Amino acid sequence: MKQVKRVVLFGIDGAGTFFQQANTPNMDRIFAAGAVCRRVVTEVPSISAQCWGSMLHGVECGWHGLTNALVGQARYPVDSPYPSVFRAVREAIPQAKLASFCDWDPINYGIIEEGLDVYKYHAPDHALVEPAIEYIENNDFTLLFFHFDSVDGAGHRFGYGTPEHLAAIGRNDGYIGRIVKALEKRGWLEDTLILVEADHGGTPNYGYGGQHGGATEAEMYVSFFAAGGNVCPGELKDMLVRDTAA
Protein backbone atom coordinates (compact mmCIF):
# COMPACT_ATOMS: atom_id res chain seq x y z
CA MET A 1 0.00 0.00 0.00
CA LYS A 2 1.19 3.49 -0.81
CA GLN A 3 1.90 6.01 1.91
CA VAL A 4 -0.73 8.75 2.17
CA LYS A 5 0.84 11.99 0.98
CA ARG A 6 -2.15 14.34 0.91
CA VAL A 7 -5.69 14.76 2.22
CA VAL A 8 -8.68 16.46 0.58
CA LEU A 9 -11.74 17.20 2.73
CA PHE A 10 -14.90 18.35 0.96
CA GLY A 11 -17.28 19.94 3.46
CA ILE A 12 -20.90 20.19 2.28
CA ASP A 13 -22.81 22.59 4.50
CA GLY A 14 -26.32 21.45 5.40
CA ALA A 15 -26.24 18.14 3.52
CA GLY A 16 -26.93 16.02 6.61
CA THR A 17 -27.64 12.45 5.54
CA PHE A 18 -29.52 13.54 2.43
CA PHE A 19 -26.79 12.28 0.08
CA GLN A 20 -28.65 8.97 -0.08
CA GLN A 21 -31.67 10.68 -1.64
CA ALA A 22 -29.73 12.84 -4.12
CA ASN A 23 -28.28 12.06 -7.54
CA THR A 24 -24.53 11.78 -6.87
CA PRO A 25 -22.88 9.76 -9.66
CA ASN A 26 -19.40 11.11 -8.94
CA MET A 27 -19.52 10.29 -5.25
CA ASP A 28 -21.02 6.90 -6.04
CA ARG A 29 -18.00 6.15 -8.23
CA ILE A 30 -15.35 7.68 -5.97
CA PHE A 31 -16.54 5.93 -2.81
CA ALA A 32 -17.70 2.63 -4.34
CA ALA A 33 -14.79 0.85 -2.62
CA GLY A 34 -14.49 3.32 0.23
CA ALA A 35 -15.71 3.67 3.79
CA VAL A 36 -18.92 5.40 4.78
CA CYS A 37 -20.75 6.34 7.96
CA ARG A 38 -24.34 7.42 7.37
CA ARG A 39 -25.14 8.37 10.97
CA VAL A 40 -22.33 10.60 12.17
CA VAL A 41 -23.42 12.60 15.22
CA THR A 42 -22.71 16.31 14.94
CA GLU A 43 -22.57 19.00 17.63
CA VAL A 44 -25.28 20.46 19.86
CA PRO A 45 -26.36 23.04 18.84
CA SER A 46 -26.31 21.89 15.21
CA ILE A 47 -25.10 25.28 13.95
CA SER A 48 -22.39 25.88 11.36
CA ALA A 49 -19.59 27.42 13.45
CA GLN A 50 -19.98 24.90 16.24
CA CYS A 51 -20.00 22.00 13.77
CA TRP A 52 -17.22 23.17 11.44
CA GLY A 53 -15.16 24.14 14.47
CA SER A 54 -15.47 20.64 15.89
CA MET A 55 -14.78 18.99 12.54
CA LEU A 56 -11.58 21.00 12.04
CA HIS A 57 -10.40 21.24 15.67
CA GLY A 58 -11.30 17.74 16.85
CA VAL A 59 -13.05 18.70 20.09
CA GLU A 60 -16.62 19.32 21.15
CA CYS A 61 -17.94 22.82 20.59
CA GLY A 62 -17.92 23.73 24.28
CA TRP A 63 -14.14 23.42 24.22
CA HIS A 64 -13.29 25.38 21.07
CA GLY A 65 -15.98 27.98 21.88
CA LEU A 66 -16.71 28.98 18.28
CA THR A 67 -20.10 30.46 17.33
CA ASN A 68 -21.48 32.01 14.14
CA ALA A 69 -21.24 35.49 15.69
CA LEU A 70 -17.68 34.99 16.86
CA VAL A 71 -16.03 33.48 13.77
CA GLY A 72 -16.84 36.47 11.59
CA GLN A 73 -15.42 38.94 14.07
CA ALA A 74 -12.45 37.38 15.88
CA ARG A 75 -9.45 35.29 14.90
CA TYR A 76 -9.04 31.90 16.53
CA PRO A 77 -6.19 32.03 19.10
CA VAL A 78 -2.96 30.69 17.65
CA ASP A 79 -1.97 29.39 21.09
CA SER A 80 -5.24 27.59 21.85
CA PRO A 81 -4.87 24.14 23.43
CA TYR A 82 -7.39 23.00 20.79
CA PRO A 83 -5.64 23.72 17.49
CA SER A 84 -7.15 23.21 14.09
CA VAL A 85 -5.93 20.34 11.95
CA PHE A 86 -4.14 22.99 9.86
CA ARG A 87 -2.02 24.02 12.84
CA ALA A 88 -1.41 20.39 13.78
CA VAL A 89 -0.17 19.59 10.28
CA ARG A 90 1.95 22.75 10.08
CA GLU A 91 3.67 21.90 13.37
CA ALA A 92 4.24 18.28 12.33
CA ILE A 93 5.25 19.00 8.70
CA PRO A 94 6.75 22.51 8.50
CA GLN A 95 7.12 22.37 4.70
CA ALA A 96 3.51 21.30 4.06
CA LYS A 97 1.38 23.17 1.53
CA LEU A 98 -2.04 23.87 3.07
CA ALA A 99 -5.08 25.41 1.39
CA SER A 100 -8.71 26.24 2.18
CA PHE A 101 -11.30 27.11 -0.47
CA CYS A 102 -14.46 28.36 1.26
CA ASP A 103 -17.81 29.77 0.30
CA TRP A 104 -18.49 30.77 3.93
CA ASP A 105 -15.51 33.03 4.63
CA PRO A 106 -15.77 32.98 8.47
CA ILE A 107 -14.14 29.53 8.31
CA ASN A 108 -11.05 31.10 6.77
CA TYR A 109 -11.25 34.12 9.05
CA GLY A 110 -12.20 32.79 12.45
CA ILE A 111 -11.90 28.97 12.51
CA ILE A 112 -8.55 28.40 10.74
CA GLU A 113 -5.77 30.23 12.55
CA GLU A 114 -3.80 33.05 10.95
CA GLY A 115 -0.02 32.87 10.55
CA LEU A 116 0.14 29.29 9.32
CA ASP A 117 0.83 30.08 5.67
CA VAL A 118 -2.50 28.54 4.62
CA TYR A 119 -3.58 29.56 1.14
CA LYS A 120 -7.13 30.85 1.66
CA TYR A 121 -9.62 31.49 -1.15
CA HIS A 122 -13.19 32.75 -0.79
CA ALA A 123 -15.91 32.61 -3.47
CA PRO A 124 -19.36 31.08 -4.06
CA ASP A 125 -19.40 27.31 -4.56
CA HIS A 126 -19.36 27.32 -8.33
CA ALA A 127 -16.53 29.87 -8.43
CA LEU A 128 -14.25 27.75 -6.23
CA VAL A 129 -13.81 24.92 -8.69
CA GLU A 130 -11.58 26.46 -11.38
CA PRO A 131 -9.24 28.22 -8.91
CA ALA A 132 -8.96 24.96 -6.96
CA ILE A 133 -8.11 23.00 -10.11
CA GLU A 134 -5.45 25.60 -10.96
CA TYR A 135 -4.07 25.26 -7.44
CA ILE A 136 -3.90 21.46 -7.79
CA GLU A 137 -2.15 21.78 -11.15
CA ASN A 138 0.56 23.94 -9.58
CA ASN A 139 0.94 22.67 -6.01
CA ASP A 140 1.64 19.28 -4.46
CA PHE A 141 -0.29 20.00 -1.27
CA THR A 142 -0.58 18.15 2.04
CA LEU A 143 -4.07 19.30 3.14
CA LEU A 144 -6.79 20.81 0.95
CA PHE A 145 -10.15 21.80 2.48
CA PHE A 146 -13.35 22.83 0.70
CA HIS A 147 -16.48 24.41 2.11
CA PHE A 148 -19.53 24.46 -0.19
CA ASP A 149 -22.50 26.45 1.13
CA SER A 150 -25.22 26.34 -1.53
CA VAL A 151 -26.78 23.13 -0.18
CA ASP A 152 -27.45 24.79 3.16
CA GLY A 153 -28.84 27.82 1.36
CA ALA A 154 -31.29 25.63 -0.53
CA GLY A 155 -32.28 23.90 2.70
CA HIS A 156 -33.03 27.18 4.42
CA ARG A 157 -35.02 28.48 1.47
CA PHE A 158 -36.94 25.37 0.39
CA GLY A 159 -36.55 22.87 3.24
CA TYR A 160 -34.01 20.12 3.80
CA GLY A 161 -34.77 17.01 1.77
CA THR A 162 -36.86 18.91 -0.79
CA PRO A 163 -36.17 18.49 -4.53
CA GLU A 164 -34.39 21.84 -4.58
CA HIS A 165 -32.14 20.86 -1.67
CA LEU A 166 -31.34 17.48 -3.24
CA ALA A 167 -30.58 19.17 -6.57
CA ALA A 168 -28.03 21.39 -4.81
CA ILE A 169 -26.33 18.27 -3.44
CA GLY A 170 -26.21 16.96 -7.00
CA ARG A 171 -24.49 20.14 -8.18
CA ASN A 172 -21.94 19.80 -5.40
CA ASP A 173 -21.34 16.24 -6.54
CA GLY A 174 -20.41 17.71 -9.91
CA TYR A 175 -17.90 20.06 -8.29
CA ILE A 176 -16.35 17.15 -6.39
CA GLY A 177 -16.12 15.12 -9.59
CA ARG A 178 -14.25 17.86 -11.43
CA ILE A 179 -11.77 18.40 -8.61
CA VAL A 180 -11.12 14.67 -8.15
CA LYS A 181 -10.53 14.42 -11.91
CA ALA A 182 -7.81 17.06 -11.53
CA LEU A 183 -6.21 14.90 -8.83
CA GLU A 184 -6.44 11.91 -11.14
CA LYS A 185 -4.68 13.84 -13.92
CA ARG A 186 -1.78 14.44 -11.52
CA GLY A 187 -1.64 10.69 -10.79
CA TRP A 188 -2.44 11.24 -7.13
CA LEU A 189 -5.51 9.12 -6.45
CA GLU A 190 -3.68 6.17 -4.90
CA ASP A 191 -1.81 8.22 -2.30
CA THR A 192 -4.51 10.81 -1.55
CA LEU A 193 -7.15 10.43 1.15
CA ILE A 194 -10.44 11.89 -0.14
CA LEU A 195 -13.12 12.77 2.41
CA VAL A 196 -16.64 14.18 2.10
CA GLU A 197 -18.67 15.23 5.13
CA ALA A 198 -21.59 17.44 6.09
CA ASP A 199 -21.62 19.65 9.15
CA HIS A 200 -25.32 19.32 10.00
CA GLY A 201 -28.69 18.56 8.42
CA GLY A 202 -31.99 20.38 8.75
CA THR A 203 -35.75 20.20 8.97
CA PRO A 204 -38.30 19.99 6.14
CA ASN A 205 -40.15 23.04 4.86
CA TYR A 206 -43.06 23.73 7.21
CA GLY A 207 -44.20 26.73 5.19
CA TYR A 208 -41.32 29.04 6.13
CA GLY A 209 -38.22 27.16 4.95
CA GLY A 210 -36.02 24.62 6.66
CA GLN A 211 -34.12 25.18 9.89
CA HIS A 212 -31.26 23.69 11.89
CA GLY A 213 -29.76 24.22 15.33
CA GLY A 214 -31.95 21.75 17.18
CA ALA A 215 -31.45 18.13 18.18
CA THR A 216 -33.82 16.28 15.83
CA GLU A 217 -32.39 13.35 13.86
CA ALA A 218 -32.72 15.31 10.60
CA GLU A 219 -30.50 18.04 12.07
CA MET A 220 -28.08 15.98 14.16
CA TYR A 221 -27.03 13.16 11.83
CA VAL A 222 -24.65 13.65 8.90
CA SER A 223 -22.82 11.43 6.42
CA PHE A 224 -19.08 10.82 6.10
CA PHE A 225 -17.28 9.24 3.13
CA ALA A 226 -13.63 8.22 2.72
CA ALA A 227 -11.71 6.77 -0.25
CA GLY A 228 -8.12 6.24 -1.34
CA GLY A 229 -5.21 6.55 1.02
CA ASN A 230 -5.33 2.92 2.24
CA VAL A 231 -8.97 3.20 3.34
CA CYS A 232 -10.52 -0.09 4.42
CA PRO A 233 -13.91 -0.38 2.68
CA GLY A 234 -17.08 -0.84 4.67
CA GLU A 235 -19.62 0.78 6.95
CA LEU A 236 -18.33 2.79 9.90
CA LYS A 237 -20.23 2.94 13.18
CA ASP A 238 -20.34 5.21 16.21
CA MET A 239 -18.68 8.22 14.61
CA LEU A 240 -18.75 11.84 15.77
CA VAL A 241 -18.16 14.83 13.52
CA ARG A 242 -15.23 15.84 15.75
CA ASP A 243 -13.48 12.54 14.91
CA THR A 244 -12.69 13.88 11.43
CA ALA A 245 -9.71 16.05 12.41
CA ALA A 246 -7.88 13.06 13.88
Side-chain angles (χ1 to χ4, degrees):
M1 294 188 293
K2 286 194 174 183
Q3 179 183 4
V4 176
K5 294 182 178 179
R6 60 194 71 81
V7 177
V8 183
L9 171 57
F10 294 99
I12 314 297
D13 206 306
T17 60
F18 295 99
F19 295 96
Q20 294 97 296
Q21 303 171 34
N23 182 27
T24 56
N26 292 289
M27 288 182 59
D28 293 346
R29 172 179 54 83
I30 294 164
F31 300 105
V36 60
C37 184
R38 303 188 190 277
R39 287 177 67 83
V40 180
V41 181
T42 194
E43 293 296 304
V44 178
S46 52
I47 297 174
S48 292
Q50 283 88 334
C51 299
W52 292 116
S54 292
M55 187 188 302
L56 294 176
H57 288 259
V59 295
E60 63 182 81
C61 60
W63 293 8
H64 61 63
L66 296 166
T67 65
N68 280 9
L70 185 62
V71 295
Q73 302 294 325
R75 303 287 190 179
Y76 191 80
V78 296
D79 59 350
S80 170
Y82 312 115
S84 75
V85 66
F86 287 91
R87 186 181 130 199
V89 172
R90 173 61 68 218
E91 291 175 353
I93 312 173
Q95 73 277 15
K97 286 186 178 291
L98 312 175
S100 174
F101 289 78
C102 288
D103 186 334
W104 193 48
D105 199 41
I107 292 178
N108 283 339
Y109 185 87
I111 295 181
I112 300 171
E113 301 93 337
E114 283 290 282
L116 298 177
D117 193 25
V118 178
Y119 179 78
K120 297 179 178 180
Y121 192 93
H122 163 55
D125 289 4
H126 65 276
L128 294 175
V129 178
E130 287 302 327
I133 290 173
E134 183 178 354
Y135 181 86
I136 291 167
E137 290 172 345
N138 292 284
N139 295 277
D140 190 355
F141 60 88
T142 299
L143 175 61
L144 178 56
F145 172 69
F146 290 90
H147 170 271
F148 295 141
D149 201 43
S150 60
V151 171
D152 192 49
H156 278 293
R157 182 178 180 185
F158 300 105
Y160 296 79
T162 61
E164 294 86 354
H165 179 246
L166 299 180
I169 294 175
R171 288 190 292 273
N172 277 214
D173 175 77
Y175 306 151
I176 291 169
R178 291 173 62 191
I179 293 164
V180 171
K181 189 171 183 64
L183 297 172
E184 186 176 15
K185 285 183 178 179
R186 295 291 311 257
W188 289 346
L189 289 189
E190 289 189 15
D191 55 10
T192 299
L193 176 61
I194 300 172
L195 310 174
V196 175
E197 190 169 23
D199 61 332
H200 58 72
T203 64
N205 186 346
Y206 293 123
Y208 51 83
Q211 302 292 323
H212 62 86
T216 66
E217 287 203 6
E219 295 164 276
M220 286 294 299
Y221 285 109
V222 303
S223 296
F224 170 88
F225 304 85
N230 302 334
V231 167
C232 296
E235 292 279 339
L236 304 175
K237 305 293 183 183
D238 301 323
M239 184 174 173
L240 304 173
V241 76
R242 59 181 178 266
D243 294 332
T244 306

